[in-house]
Amino acid sequence: MAYLALLAGWIGFCYWLYAKEVLPRMHERYDSDGPEKVENLKYPVAFRWASDIPLAGEDYKDWIADVEAVDSSTDVVIIKGYFFRDEEASIKLDEELAHRRVKNLLQSLHVPSDKIMVQVLPQEINADDRSYPFEAISIDRVALKNILHSEGDTLELCFPLKDSLTLPPILLNKMDDWLDRHSEMKDRFTNVVGIADGSGIAESADMALDRAIVIQRVLMAKGWKGENIHLSTGQRSSPHPLRNRCVIIYFE
Protein backbone atom coordinates (compact mmCIF):
# COMPACT_ATOMS: atom_id res chain seq x y z
CA MET A 1 0.00 0.00 0.00
CA ALA A 2 2.83 2.32 0.87
CA TYR A 3 4.35 1.69 -2.59
CA LEU A 4 1.06 2.49 -4.33
CA ALA A 5 0.63 5.64 -2.27
CA LEU A 6 4.19 6.71 -3.13
CA LEU A 7 3.57 5.96 -6.83
CA ALA A 8 0.31 7.92 -6.81
CA GLY A 9 2.07 10.81 -5.12
CA TRP A 10 4.86 10.76 -7.70
CA ILE A 11 2.37 10.70 -10.60
CA GLY A 12 0.46 13.58 -9.01
CA PHE A 13 3.67 15.59 -8.59
CA CYS A 14 4.71 14.97 -12.22
CA TYR A 15 1.28 16.07 -13.46
CA TRP A 16 1.44 19.23 -11.34
CA LEU A 17 4.95 19.99 -12.60
CA TYR A 18 3.87 19.52 -16.23
CA ALA A 19 0.66 21.53 -15.88
CA LYS A 20 2.08 24.42 -13.84
CA GLU A 21 5.65 24.73 -15.11
CA VAL A 22 6.43 22.80 -18.30
CA LEU A 23 3.25 23.40 -20.29
CA PRO A 24 3.09 27.19 -19.68
CA ARG A 25 6.72 27.51 -20.75
CA MET A 26 6.05 25.54 -23.92
CA HIS A 27 3.30 28.03 -24.84
CA GLU A 28 5.03 31.11 -23.52
CA ARG A 29 6.04 32.22 -27.00
CA TYR A 30 4.31 32.12 -30.33
CA ASP A 31 7.50 30.62 -31.73
CA SER A 32 11.06 30.13 -30.57
CA ASP A 33 12.15 33.50 -31.89
CA GLY A 34 9.02 35.52 -31.09
CA PRO A 35 8.20 37.73 -28.11
CA GLU A 36 6.94 36.37 -24.82
CA LYS A 37 3.19 35.79 -24.91
CA VAL A 38 1.07 37.46 -22.22
CA GLU A 39 -2.52 36.33 -21.74
CA ASN A 40 -5.26 39.00 -21.90
CA LEU A 41 -2.83 41.65 -23.14
CA LYS A 42 -4.92 44.23 -25.00
CA TYR A 43 -2.04 45.35 -27.24
CA PRO A 44 -0.54 43.18 -29.99
CA VAL A 45 2.93 44.24 -28.81
CA ALA A 46 3.77 45.88 -25.49
CA PHE A 47 6.63 46.51 -23.06
CA ARG A 48 7.06 46.75 -19.32
CA TRP A 49 8.46 49.82 -17.60
CA ALA A 50 12.18 50.37 -18.38
CA SER A 51 12.28 47.08 -20.33
CA ASP A 52 13.26 46.50 -23.95
CA ILE A 53 11.80 42.95 -24.09
CA PRO A 54 8.69 42.82 -26.33
CA LEU A 55 5.55 41.12 -25.08
CA ALA A 56 3.00 39.60 -27.45
CA GLY A 57 -0.74 40.02 -26.98
CA GLU A 58 -3.60 37.99 -28.37
CA ASP A 59 -3.63 39.82 -31.72
CA TYR A 60 0.13 39.55 -32.22
CA LYS A 61 0.00 37.05 -35.11
CA ASP A 62 -2.51 39.16 -37.09
CA TRP A 63 -0.48 42.31 -36.37
CA ILE A 64 2.74 40.68 -37.59
CA ALA A 65 1.02 39.43 -40.75
CA ASP A 66 -0.25 42.93 -41.50
CA VAL A 67 3.19 44.50 -41.03
CA GLU A 68 4.89 41.86 -43.15
CA ALA A 69 2.37 42.41 -45.93
CA VAL A 70 4.38 45.46 -46.98
CA ASP A 71 4.91 45.52 -50.72
CA SER A 72 8.64 45.29 -51.25
CA SER A 73 8.52 47.56 -54.28
CA THR A 74 5.94 50.20 -53.38
CA ASP A 75 5.95 50.74 -49.60
CA VAL A 76 8.19 52.13 -46.88
CA VAL A 77 7.66 51.06 -43.26
CA ILE A 78 8.08 53.67 -40.53
CA ILE A 79 8.59 52.15 -37.07
CA LYS A 80 8.24 54.55 -34.15
CA GLY A 81 9.62 53.53 -30.79
CA TYR A 82 8.37 55.42 -27.74
CA PHE A 83 9.80 56.09 -24.30
CA PHE A 84 8.80 57.87 -21.10
CA ARG A 85 11.18 60.57 -19.98
CA ASP A 86 11.83 59.04 -16.55
CA GLU A 87 12.25 55.37 -17.52
CA GLU A 88 16.02 55.80 -17.48
CA ALA A 89 18.43 58.27 -15.91
CA SER A 90 18.58 60.68 -18.86
CA ILE A 91 16.91 61.53 -22.15
CA LYS A 92 19.84 59.96 -24.01
CA LEU A 93 19.36 56.66 -22.15
CA ASP A 94 15.58 56.88 -22.68
CA GLU A 95 16.13 57.23 -26.43
CA GLU A 96 18.56 54.30 -26.41
CA LEU A 97 15.89 52.23 -24.64
CA ALA A 98 13.37 53.07 -27.39
CA HIS A 99 15.91 52.10 -30.06
CA ARG A 100 16.48 48.76 -28.34
CA ARG A 101 12.73 48.16 -28.23
CA VAL A 102 12.54 48.61 -31.99
CA LYS A 103 15.65 46.51 -32.59
CA ASN A 104 14.36 43.61 -30.49
CA LEU A 105 11.00 43.68 -32.23
CA LEU A 106 12.64 43.72 -35.66
CA GLN A 107 14.28 40.37 -34.88
CA SER A 108 10.87 38.72 -35.29
CA LEU A 109 9.71 40.81 -38.28
CA HIS A 110 10.47 39.81 -41.85
CA VAL A 111 10.58 43.19 -43.62
CA PRO A 112 13.42 44.16 -46.01
CA SER A 113 15.80 46.46 -44.15
CA ASP A 114 15.99 48.99 -46.99
CA LYS A 115 12.24 49.60 -46.61
CA ILE A 116 12.47 50.47 -42.89
CA MET A 117 12.82 53.83 -41.16
CA VAL A 118 13.07 54.16 -37.38
CA GLN A 119 12.10 57.13 -35.24
CA VAL A 120 12.11 57.39 -31.43
CA LEU A 121 9.74 59.73 -29.62
CA PRO A 122 8.67 60.57 -26.05
CA GLN A 123 5.15 59.83 -24.87
CA GLU A 124 3.00 61.01 -22.00
CA ILE A 125 2.79 58.71 -18.99
CA ASN A 126 -0.50 57.28 -17.72
CA ALA A 127 -1.17 56.22 -14.16
CA ASP A 128 -0.82 52.47 -14.83
CA ASP A 129 2.20 52.52 -17.13
CA ARG A 130 4.68 51.75 -14.34
CA SER A 131 2.73 48.67 -13.26
CA TYR A 132 1.27 47.17 -16.44
CA PRO A 133 2.56 46.54 -19.99
CA PHE A 134 2.07 49.52 -22.31
CA GLU A 135 2.22 50.14 -26.05
CA ALA A 136 5.60 51.55 -27.10
CA ILE A 137 5.72 50.76 -30.82
CA SER A 138 3.65 52.08 -33.71
CA ILE A 139 4.05 51.23 -37.37
CA ASP A 140 2.99 53.23 -40.44
CA ARG A 141 3.29 52.41 -44.11
CA VAL A 142 4.02 55.07 -46.73
CA ALA A 143 3.51 54.40 -50.41
CA LEU A 144 6.69 55.05 -52.36
CA LYS A 145 4.69 56.94 -54.99
CA ASN A 146 3.86 59.54 -52.30
CA ILE A 147 7.49 60.36 -51.58
CA LEU A 148 9.12 60.03 -55.01
CA HIS A 149 8.01 61.64 -58.26
CA SER A 150 9.96 61.95 -61.50
CA GLU A 151 9.02 63.46 -64.82
CA GLY A 152 11.56 64.06 -67.54
CA ASP A 153 14.52 65.93 -66.08
CA THR A 154 12.75 66.76 -62.81
CA LEU A 155 12.81 64.69 -59.63
CA GLU A 156 10.97 65.37 -56.41
CA LEU A 157 11.56 63.34 -53.27
CA CYS A 158 10.06 63.86 -49.82
CA PHE A 159 11.36 63.24 -46.32
CA PRO A 160 9.01 60.80 -44.55
CA LEU A 161 9.90 61.79 -40.96
CA LYS A 162 9.03 65.18 -39.53
CA ASP A 163 12.05 67.10 -38.18
CA SER A 164 14.42 64.56 -39.69
CA LEU A 165 16.83 64.63 -42.61
CA THR A 166 16.91 60.84 -42.88
CA LEU A 167 15.83 59.10 -46.08
CA PRO A 168 15.05 55.39 -46.44
CA PRO A 169 17.70 53.40 -48.36
CA ILE A 170 15.20 52.44 -51.08
CA LEU A 171 14.55 56.14 -51.79
CA LEU A 172 18.26 56.90 -52.05
CA ASN A 173 18.72 53.90 -54.34
CA LYS A 174 15.98 55.07 -56.67
CA MET A 175 17.42 58.59 -56.69
CA ASP A 176 20.79 57.07 -57.50
CA ASP A 177 19.26 55.22 -60.47
CA TRP A 178 17.59 58.43 -61.70
CA LEU A 179 20.87 60.33 -61.53
CA ASP A 180 22.61 57.55 -63.46
CA ARG A 181 20.02 57.93 -66.21
CA HIS A 182 20.78 61.66 -66.34
CA SER A 183 24.55 61.46 -65.96
CA GLU A 184 24.99 63.61 -69.10
CA MET A 185 23.65 66.52 -67.02
CA LYS A 186 26.62 66.56 -64.64
CA ASP A 187 28.10 69.61 -66.34
CA ARG A 188 24.76 71.41 -66.62
CA PHE A 189 23.40 73.96 -64.16
CA THR A 190 21.37 72.01 -61.57
CA ASN A 191 18.69 73.51 -59.32
CA VAL A 192 18.01 71.97 -55.93
CA VAL A 193 14.98 73.45 -54.17
CA GLY A 194 14.32 72.57 -50.54
CA ILE A 195 10.70 72.75 -49.45
CA ALA A 196 9.60 73.65 -45.91
CA ASP A 197 6.23 72.86 -44.39
CA GLY A 198 4.14 76.04 -44.40
CA SER A 199 1.05 74.54 -42.76
CA GLY A 200 0.25 74.80 -39.07
CA ILE A 201 3.37 75.92 -37.21
CA ALA A 202 5.44 76.71 -40.27
CA GLU A 203 8.97 75.38 -40.59
CA SER A 204 11.78 77.85 -41.10
CA ALA A 205 13.64 78.35 -44.36
CA ASP A 206 16.65 76.82 -42.59
CA MET A 207 14.94 73.42 -42.55
CA ALA A 208 14.23 73.69 -46.26
CA LEU A 209 17.88 74.58 -46.88
CA ASP A 210 19.07 71.64 -44.77
CA ARG A 211 17.01 69.31 -46.95
CA ALA A 212 18.50 70.83 -50.08
CA ILE A 213 22.03 70.42 -48.69
CA VAL A 214 21.41 66.71 -48.04
CA ILE A 215 20.55 66.24 -51.72
CA GLN A 216 23.43 68.47 -52.84
CA ARG A 217 25.84 66.10 -51.09
CA VAL A 218 24.32 63.14 -52.89
CA LEU A 219 24.74 64.93 -56.24
CA MET A 220 28.36 65.78 -55.52
CA ALA A 221 29.07 62.17 -54.50
CA LYS A 222 27.72 61.17 -57.92
CA GLY A 223 30.11 63.53 -59.73
CA TRP A 224 28.17 66.80 -59.93
CA LYS A 225 30.31 69.88 -59.38
CA GLY A 226 29.42 72.08 -56.44
CA GLU A 227 29.70 75.28 -58.47
CA ASN A 228 27.04 73.99 -60.88
CA ILE A 229 24.50 73.30 -58.12
CA HIS A 230 22.20 76.16 -57.16
CA LEU A 231 20.40 75.84 -53.82
CA SER A 232 17.14 77.64 -53.08
CA THR A 233 14.20 77.24 -50.72
CA GLY A 234 10.45 77.46 -50.81
CA GLN A 235 7.36 76.64 -48.76
CA ARG A 236 4.34 74.47 -49.42
CA SER A 237 1.03 74.18 -47.55
CA SER A 238 -0.45 70.99 -48.90
CA PRO A 239 -3.12 69.31 -46.73
CA HIS A 240 -0.88 66.23 -46.93
CA PRO A 241 2.07 67.09 -44.62
CA LEU A 242 4.38 64.63 -46.35
CA ARG A 243 4.17 66.72 -49.53
CA ASN A 244 5.51 69.72 -47.62
CA ARG A 245 8.86 68.14 -46.72
CA CYS A 246 10.47 67.68 -50.12
CA VAL A 247 13.35 68.57 -52.42
CA ILE A 248 12.99 69.24 -56.14
CA ILE A 249 15.87 68.70 -58.57
CA TYR A 250 15.77 70.01 -62.14
CA PHE A 251 18.31 70.90 -64.80
CA GLU A 252 18.77 73.95 -67.02
Side-chain angles (χ1 to χ4, degrees):
M1 293 295 293
Y3 174 79
L4 292 177
L6 181 62
L7 180 61
W10 173 251
I11 293 173
F13 171 77
C14 290
Y15 177 81
W16 175 88
L17 183 65
Y18 176 79
K20 296 296 184 181
E21 297 293 330
V22 177
L23 187 62
R25 291 179 183 276
M26 289 174 63
H27 293 276
E28 187 176 8
R29 297 175 182 271
Y30 282 109
D31 57 60
S32 60
D33 298 321
E36 175 188 349
K37 180 182 177 181
V38 177
E39 296 296 335
N40 300 317
L41 180 61
K42 63 180 180 179
Y43 307 114
V45 178
F47 294 83
R48 292 190 176 94
W49 184 264
S51 171
D52 60 10
I53 300 174
L55 309 173
E58 294 177 353
D59 296 329
Y60 173 74
K61 283 187 175 180
D62 292 338
W63 183 84
I64 285 289
D66 181 63
V67 174
E68 293 182 347
V70 58
D71 188 304
S72 62
S73 63
T74 62
D75 290 341
V76 171
V77 176
I78 298 175
I79 303 180
K80 296 178 181 178
Y82 296 92
F83 62 89
F84 297 116
R85 295 186 185 276
D86 52 349
E87 284 191 86
E88 298 285 358
S90 68
I91 294 295
K92 182 176 183 297
L93 292 176
D94 287 334
E95 291 176 345
E96 290 175 357
L97 172 64
H99 275 294
R100 292 198 305 274
R101 284 172 172 160
V102 173
K103 179 181 177 182
N104 291 343
L105 180 62
L106 283 174
Q107 292 177 359
S108 58
L109 287 177
H110 301 288
V111 178
S113 60
D114 65 335
K115 313 297 189 299
I116 293 175
M117 297 190 72
V118 176
Q119 185 177 28
V120 298
L121 299 165
Q123 62 182 346
E124 295 299 322
I125 189 171
N126 295 314
D128 294 335
D129 287 330
R130 291 178 180 270
S131 304
Y132 300 100
F134 51 84
E135 201 169 22
I137 296 285
S138 68
I139 294 184
D140 299 317
R141 285 206 291 262
V142 177
L144 195 58
K145 65 181 182 181
N146 292 333
I147 54 177
L148 182 68
H149 311 266
S150 63
E151 185 173 349
D153 62 355
T154 300
L155 178 75
E156 179 176 346
L157 68 164
C158 303
F159 290 70
L161 303 182
K162 183 177 175 59
D163 300 323
S164 172
L165 298 176
T166 303
L167 292 168
I170 187 174
L171 196 61
L172 290 171
N173 291 340
K174 288 187 175 296
M175 177 186 171
D176 204 49
D177 292 341
W178 184 83
L179 291 174
D180 286 340
R181 294 196 303 270
H182 293 81
S183 59
E184 74 280 1
M185 299 293 188
K186 287 182 179 179
D187 296 324
R188 298 275 294 276
F189 195 75
T190 302
N191 290 282
V192 178
V193 184
I195 304 296
D197 189 348
S199 62
I201 301 175
E203 291 181 326
S204 70
D206 289 342
M207 192 63 181
L209 182 59
D210 288 342
R211 290 180 180 128
I213 291 173
V214 168
I215 302 306
Q216 178 193 35
R217 290 171 178 165
V218 175
L219 285 165
M220 293 178 68
K222 293 289 291 181
W224 266 255
K225 297 177 181 178
E227 58 269 24
N228 289 341
I229 302 174
H230 178 255
L231 303 182
S232 60
T233 62
Q235 233 180 27
R236 185 183 286 161
S237 299
S238 169
H240 306 290
L242 187 60
R243 299 284 300 119
N244 300 331
R245 306 191 296 266
C246 303
V247 172
I248 301 169
I249 307 169
Y250 64 94
F251 307 113
E252 291 187 2

